[in-house]
Amino acid sequence: MSTTKKEIVLFGIAGSPGIAHGPVFRFLHGDIEVPSYRIKESERESEFERFRTAVDQTHDQISEIRKAVSSNLSEKEASIFDAHLMVLEDKALFDDIKKEIQESGDNIEQCVFRVTQRYHDYFNQLEDEYLRERATDLKDISKRLLRNLIGETGAGTAFLDEPKVLASEDLSPSDTASLDRDKILGIATDSGGRTGHAVIMARASGFPAVVGLRGLLDHLSDSDTLLIDGFEGLAIVNPSEVTLFRYGKLKIQRKKITDLLASECALPSETKDG
């Protein structure tokens, strides 16, 4: 009886060019369990000070990521995190969270969660794709703030024993910047669009990426292999030998074109007759 798994083809959005194939790593964030309890009125100011401390900690973490991205990639990609730092310095956010504490009497984690969720929902319902993508950035900040308040740390990829194709519901810019580049072959996500900062980071890092693959994680298990085509915006779960052969030929052809472009890109921009 054959144990060959059925090939499944999913269509998404080409995020970063390239072809990658290998075992899958499901990068599952999991929901943050936000604690909920009441705060005495006399303790609300000190509760807000916990928020200020978490903001400073988050600011330091993102500054370190920005510094690493600037060093390893370029200042252009690093500037993505300037928007994150600006959110952490936004007086309106501070005022809204302080108001939430005073009016609700709930702990700071609940207040941060509710206020940032309102901001996120506002951006997420906008028609403009670029502004909708900023909802992902805000979610990134919110999760990092909550983890620092609760004392949790995020998941990483340094523990992987071999390079794999990463599959996730979505990736924040700091997720992407923190990936071990030696352990990741390519990136595939359920959601996201071409203008997302995670896509920009993937492109700058040289990872093939396909985003907007609705239902991708529903088709994956840890024992699967995944092929992603960052040129056409395809993801193929458990590709057949025929598919692998076809993509092997395509990879050779594309490398020839890339090598030709690389050999001629430094030549003067003129025809042979001048």
Side-chain angles (χ1 to χ4, degrees):
M1 185 174 175
S2 175
T3 58
T4 303
K5 294 187 176 183
K6 182 181 178 183
E7 176 180 286
I8 301 171
V9 180
L10 300 171
F11 299 89
I13 301 167
S16 178
I19 295 169
H21 170 245
V24 69
F25 166 56
R26 295 189 302 159
F27 188 78
L28 305 177
H29 300 273
D31 293 328
I32 297 174
E33 192 170 331
V34 183
S36 179
Y37 52 89
R38 304 291 292 170
I39 297 295
K40 294 178 182 177
E41 189 169 351
S42 60
E43 298 174 347
R44 290 174 190 173
E45 189 61 40
S46 61
E47 190 72 356
F48 187 68
E49 284 305 310
R50 284 213 299 128
F51 168 67
R52 290 183 181 276
T53 300
V55 166
D56 290 342
Q57 187 179 357
T58 304
H59 195 285
D60 290 344
Q61 289 168 349
I62 293 175
S63 295
E64 282 300 310
I65 291 173
R66 190 198 187 288
K67 183 179 178 181
V69 170
S70 177
S71 174
N72 296 330
L73 297 176
S74 75
E75 180 61 24
K76 180 181 178 182
E77 280 72 39
S79 66
I80 287 172
F81 295 97
D82 291 339
H84 289 59
L85 295 172
M86 286 175 64
V87 169
L88 292 171
E89 297 162 0
D90 188 349
K91 185 177 183 298
L93 178 65
F94 275 63
D95 290 345
D96 284 349
I97 289 174
K98 190 162 191 175
K99 182 180 178 183
E100 188 76 19
I101 294 174
Q102 297 298 339
E103 293 183 353
S104 72
D106 289 330
N107 60 304
I108 187 61
E109 291 88 350
Q110 276 292 329
C111 294
V112 168
F113 176 75
R114 287 200 293 263
V115 171
T116 55
Q117 188 63 47
R118 288 201 294 267
Y119 277 60
H120 175 271
D121 291 345
Y122 169 75
F123 280 104
N124 206 37
Q125 55 84 35
L126 296 175
E127 291 186 8
D128 186 276
E129 183 185 2
Y130 178 82
L131 291 177
R132 273 204 318 275
E133 288 290 348
R134 303 295 70 79
T136 302
D137 299 340
L138 184 60
K139 194 172 183 179
D140 188 9
I141 291 289
S142 172
K143 282 191 170 185
R144 191 173 284 274
L145 265 174
L146 287 170
R147 284 198 179 105
N148 285 331
L149 281 166
I150 298 167
E152 289 185 2
T153 56
T157 56
F159 70 90
L160 293 178
D161 56 2
E162 63 176 323
K164 294 188 176 184
V165 180
L166 184 148
S168 181
E169 180 184 345
D170 198 5
L171 282 179
S172 69
S174 62
D175 282 335
T176 314
S178 302
L179 296 177
D180 186 332
R181 297 168 73 182
D182 294 328
K183 299 291 181 66
I184 298 299
L185 300 172
I187 295 170
T189 65
D190 268 350
S191 56
R194 287 189 181 90
T195 60
H197 284 164
V199 166
I200 296 171
M201 292 295 300
R203 199 177 296 134
S205 300
F207 296 132
V210 181
V211 298
L213 291 157
R214 305 297 178 187
L216 169 67
L217 293 179
D218 295 335
H219 295 287
L220 287 175
S221 67
D222 291 332
S223 61
D224 289 330
T225 60
L226 184 64
L227 185 150
I228 59 171
D229 181 343
F231 297 104
E232 301 295 333
L234 297 176
I236 305 173
V237 183
N238 298 317
S240 66
E241 290 186 8
V242 173
T243 298
L244 291 175
F245 178 75
R246 178 164 55 87
Y247 268 94
K249 292 176 68 176
L250 282 172
K251 195 170 183 178
I252 292 171
Q253 291 170 1
R254 289 190 182 278
K255 187 176 187 310
K256 286 181 179 178
I257 294 172
T258 302
D259 290 346
L260 178 63
L261 288 172
S263 67
E264 297 190 356
C265 67
L267 297 176
S269 301
E270 61 182 28
T271 57
K272 287 184 178 180
D273 62 0

